[in-house]
Amino acid sequence: MARASRSDVARLAGVAPTTVSNVLNGRAEALRISPATVERIRAAAQELSYVPQASARALRGSPSRTLGLLLAALPPSPYVPVVYDVLTAAIVQAQLREHLLFPVVQPEHGEDTAYVDQMLADVDLAGVVCEYSPRNALAGQRLVDMDVPVVWMSLDSPSEQRPGIAHVHADERPGVRDVLSRLAIGEDQRLGVLVGPVYRTERLRVADELFPGRVELIEAESWLPDGGMAATRRALTDHRDLGALFCADDLLAVGALHACADLGLTVPDDMSVVGFGGYNLSGYGHSELTTVHWPLRDLAATAIDTLVSRLASPRSLPSAAAAPVTSVLPSTAVVRGSARLAPNPLRGTEAAPR
C-alpha cells in the first residue's frame, strides 16, 4: 500500500490540501474552519493511515539523504560493546556514503507501531535499516506498508525473512565451532557455558552439538564482568567436573578469569576460558583471551551500504514478501593464550591474534 499524501486526504474529505494542513497542524479554530469539516478531514486521514511527511513540512525539493536505523530494545546494560559497535559503525558508514543517520530504539514495552509513525512524521527518511527481532517485526512491516525501503539486519541467523528489499546477517556458528571443536578437555569433564540475561541460542547450540550431554549452563545476573565473576565462582564451587568455560560474551569472560584467579586456578592449565565478541579488552588487563570475533561492525556497515546502493537504483527498491539474503558474515576464531586448543587441521597453524 502506497503512503497516502495530503492531496489524497483532501480528495477524500472534499476540501483543499491547504485546509488539510491547517486542520492537522492545529490551526482550525484560529481560521474558523467548521467542526464538521474538521471531523471529515480527521476521519479521512484515519481511513488512509495518513502520516504527514517531514519533507512536505520542510518544503524540500530534493530526495532525502537521511537513513533510519531501527534497533531492537536495548539490553538491561545498554553501554555494552554490542550496542556501541553497531551504532558507531552505522554512523561512520552513513557519513562515508554522504548520508545522515537517524537511530531509533524500539520501546521496551508495547506492541503498537505509533513510534514508527512519529518517526516518519518527524524525519524525511529515504530508507531504514531495521535490526531483526520478533518484536521489531511489526515495526518493519509498518515501514514496508508505508513504502519505506527496509533492509533487515540480523545479529545472528534469522529464523524467518521479513518483507523488505534485502537482508544481511551474521553467522555466529563458524568461529564458535572452530574453537570449541579443538578444546582439550577430558572425556569425563563437562563444558561450562556462561550466559547473561535474555541470551541468544545460536552460539550455544554449537556447544550442545559438540559436547552432547556434557554442557552445564551457567546463568549470570548481568552481561558485565561482575555478573560473570559471581556466576563462575558459584559454578566452579558446585561443579568440580568442569574442564573449560565458554562465555557467551567477552565481558563475562573477564569476570570468569577473575573468578578462576580468586579460586587459585591457572588459566589455561587448570581451566580453559573462551569468550565471544572479539572486543578490545586491553582496558580490563586481559588481552590474551581466546575468543570468537562477532563481525558486528562489518555487519552494520554492510547493511548501510546495501541500503544506499539500493536507493541509488530505483529498480532495486520494490519490497519482496521475504527480503532476499544478500550478505552473510561469519564469525571467526581468535586464538590467544586463555584456552588449550588442538591445532586446526584445515589451517595448519593457529589463528593470528586480533
Side-chain angles (χ1 to χ4, degrees):
M1 156 175 96
R3 182 173 180 172
S5 67
R6 182 185 61 164
S7 295
D8 294 330
V9 176
R11 277 193 296 270
L12 184 59
V15 298
T18 53
T19 305
V20 172
S21 296
N22 288 328
V23 168
L24 297 183
N25 288 329
R27 296 195 294 270
E29 185 176 354
L31 296 175
R32 298 183 179 180
I33 299 173
S34 72
T37 300
V38 171
E39 179 59 29
R40 198 162 66 250
I41 290 172
R42 294 193 185 281
Q46 183 174 4
E47 180 178 336
L48 295 175
S49 298
Y50 173 67
V51 177
Q53 288 186 319
S55 57
R57 292 202 306 270
L59 299 179
R60 290 181 181 174
S62 59
S64 171
R65 300 189 68 80
T66 301
L67 309 177
L69 176 64
L70 183 54
L71 297 176
L74 293 175
S77 302
Y79 306 106
V80 291
V82 174
V83 177
Y84 175 84
D85 283 356
V86 170
L87 185 57
T88 55
I91 291 172
V92 169
Q93 196 62 29
Q95 289 180 329
L96 289 175
R97 298 300 301 267
E98 298 182 340
H99 282 67
L100 296 174
L101 191 72
F102 181 74
V104 176
V105 176
Q106 179 192 36
E108 185 176 356
H109 304 292
E111 297 294 334
D112 64 80
T113 58
Y115 70 98
V116 174
D117 290 355
Q118 188 63 54
M119 175 175 67
L120 295 176
D122 289 343
V123 183
D124 181 24
L125 297 178
V128 175
V129 170
C130 189
E131 180 186 349
Y132 175 86
S133 74
R135 286 188 57 214
N136 245 3
L138 285 177
Q141 184 66 60
R142 176 62 172 163
L143 290 167
V144 170
D145 289 344
M146 301 294 283
D147 270 357
V148 177
V150 171
V151 171
W152 288 97
M153 176 184 67
S154 300
L155 306 191
D156 56 9
S157 299
S159 58
E160 61 178 338
Q161 289 168 244
R162 305 294 304 176
I165 61 174
H167 197 144
V168 303
H169 71 85
D171 186 351
E172 301 178 352
R173 295 166 295 184
V176 175
R177 184 175 297 278
D178 186 358
V179 174
L180 296 190
S181 64
R182 296 190 283 144
L183 268 178
I185 65 174
E187 293 184 0
D188 59 342
Q189 291 182 313
R190 295 166 62 82
L191 172 68
V193 176
L194 179 60
V195 300
V198 193
Y199 54 87
R200 300 175 184 272
T201 60
E202 183 174 42
R203 68 197 75 159
L204 308 186
R205 284 196 293 270
V206 177
D208 288 327
E209 293 168 6
L210 295 174
F211 298 89
R214 298 169 58 196
V215 171
E216 182 67 37
L217 186 66
I218 307 164
E219 298 189 52
E221 293 183 356
S222 77
W223 288 94
L224 301 177
D226 287 349
M229 181 169 63
T232 300
R233 285 180 63 90
R234 292 193 302 270
L236 294 179
T237 301
D238 296 340
H239 305 283
R240 301 288 184 175
D241 59 346
L242 294 180
L245 291 170
F246 170 46
C247 306
D249 186 86
D250 285 349
L251 296 185
L252 289 177
V254 169
L257 291 170
H258 283 299
C260 288
D262 289 347
L263 295 173
L265 299 175
T266 302
V267 175
D269 295 332
D270 298 324
M271 181 67 60
S272 288
V273 177
V274 176
F276 184 93
Y279 313 138
N280 182 357
L281 299 178
S282 58
Y284 291 92
H286 292 289
S287 58
E288 288 302 306
L289 176 67
T290 292
T291 186
V292 176
H293 173 63
W294 196 10
L296 295 185
R297 294 186 183 183
D298 292 339
L299 180 68
T302 299
I304 294 294
D305 273 341
T306 300
L307 179 57
V308 173
S309 297
R310 295 299 179 92
L311 291 172
S313 175
R315 288 181 296 179
S316 302
L317 292 180
S319 295
V325 174
T326 57
S327 298
V328 179
L329 284 69
S331 64
T332 53
V334 184
V335 178
R336 298 190 180 113
S338 68
R340 291 185 296 123
L341 305 180
N344 187 333
L346 298 179
R347 190 180 295 121
T349 59
E350 297 294 336
R354 290 176 181 262

